[in-house]
Amino acid sequence: MAASTTSIPSQIKAWVYNEYGNIEETLKLDSNIAIPQIKDDEVLIKVVAAALNPVDYKRARGIFKANEPPFPTAPGYDVAGGVGSLVIQLAKQVFGASKVAATASTGKLELLRELGVNLPIDYTKENIKELPEKFDFVYDTLGQSERALKAVKEEGEVITIAGPVRETEILFREWQGEGSVGPKEPSSIF
Ligand SMILES: NC(=O)c1ccc[n+]([C@@H]2O[C@H](COP(=O)([O-])OP(=O)(O)OC[C@H]3O[C@@H](n4cnc5c(N)ncnc54)[C@H](OP(=O)(O)O)[C@@H]3O)[C@@H](O)[C@H]2O)c1
């Protein structure tokens, strides 16, 4: 959400680190973090809630330090991140998927329906490995390739964004077996 210039404070409180290492040790609350000065082609956003993702601990360890801005650094890189909710809308609105199924816990099933999901699945009650229906395309945001492969049709596709590609490839080969048709080899966009 863009903030109006009159409501922008000069400083905020934030959890930040000033060195790379174990985030549990480096993260400190700082009450005097200066609001970034933006250039003409940049936008300052007010973040109300931020997701914490694996990318945050990787950044904190310095894995991407060649491209990092100067310290202090606040985790919450994705801001208020929801890959799955975006993919549901892309599948329905852009790619015209006839049927979209998605998993969430009980309290979020209505949100899935509002986003356009035809088949909301409560993962606390149903096991997706045992669903009678199989799908043309499975988009795995959990890094659980084994379960994704159980839900895809033969010659369907699996994309995983959260798990190691190597592990997914091994599972795929085990699943496919000698001489079977199987789904296309899983790919990763991570
Ligand atoms: N490759 C990339 O570019 C990229 C970018 C951003 C994020 N990621 C990674 O993608 C992953 C997910 O990102 P996100 O935070 O945006 O999540 P998301 O896809 O928006 O949400 C995850 C969904 O999975 C559901 N879920 C949780 N546990 C489950 C289980 N055991 N079985 C079935 N469904 C389950 C959640 O339900 P509830 O919320 O109800 O529990 C939620 O609906 C993270 O690991 C993140 O690091 C990758």
Side-chain angles (χ1 to χ4, degrees), residues 107-127:
K108 293 184 187 163
L109 298 182
E110 193 49 42
L111 172 65
L112 293 187
R113 284 190 195 94
E114 285 169 15
L115 290 171
V117 170
N118 309 94
L119 182 59
I121 299 165
D122 185 343
Y123 70 85
T124 67
K125 296 185 179 145
E126 289 185 73
N127 184 347

Side-chain angles (χ1 to χ4, degrees), residues 16-189:
V16 295
Y17 52 84
N18 282 288
E19 59 182 318
Y20 294 118
N22 183 347
I23 196 167
E24 289 171 17
E25 288 156 20
T26 57
L27 200 61
K28 312 272 183 235
L29 182 63
D30 190 325
S31 304
N32 300 302
I33 296 294
I35 292 288
Q37 297 299 307
I38 56 167
K39 299 177 190 154
D40 288 345
D41 60 351
E42 293 176 337
V43 175
L44 186 67
I45 59 170
K46 181 178 179 181
V47 180
V48 177
L52 287 176
N53 264 323
V55 70
D56 290 302
Y57 79 75
K58 291 175 189 166
R59 288 186 76 203
R61 287 182 189 170
I63 289 172
F64 310 115
K65 64 180 164 192
N67 298 310
E68 291 282 357
F71 293 124
T73 303
Y77 184 76
D78 288 350
V79 190
V83 177
S85 48
L86 189 66
V87 168
I88 289 165
Q89 293 170 82
L90 282 173
K92 286 297 284 190
Q93 315 291 343
V94 178
F95 296 104
S98 56
K99 187 169 196 178
V100 174
T103 58
S105 52
T106 315
K108 293 184 187 163
L109 298 182
E110 193 49 42
L111 172 65
L112 293 187
R113 284 190 195 94
E114 285 169 15
L115 290 171
V117 170
N118 309 94
L119 182 59
I121 299 165
D122 185 343
Y123 70 85
T124 67
K125 296 185 179 145
E126 289 185 73
N127 184 347
I128 61 167
K129 281 162 88 169
E130 291 165 6
L131 287 178
E133 188 170 359
K134 306 294 173 201
F135 299 89
D136 297 312
F137 192 93
V138 177
Y139 192 89
D140 167 30
T141 63
L142 298 169
Q144 297 183 358
S145 310
E146 189 194 347
R147 294 205 302 162
L149 287 168
K150 294 270 195 261
V152 74
K153 282 181 185 169
E154 285 199 357
E155 300 200 53
E157 288 187 59
V158 174
I159 286 195
T160 181
I161 62 163
V165 182
R166 180 85 191 105
E167 192 180 293
T168 307
E169 285 170 359
I170 292 167
L171 282 166
F172 166 74
R173 290 186 209 297
E174 284 174 0
W175 188 91
Q176 192 183 36
E178 276 300 308
S180 72
V181 178
K184 290 179 189 163
E185 189 148 355
S187 50
S188 172
I189 59 168

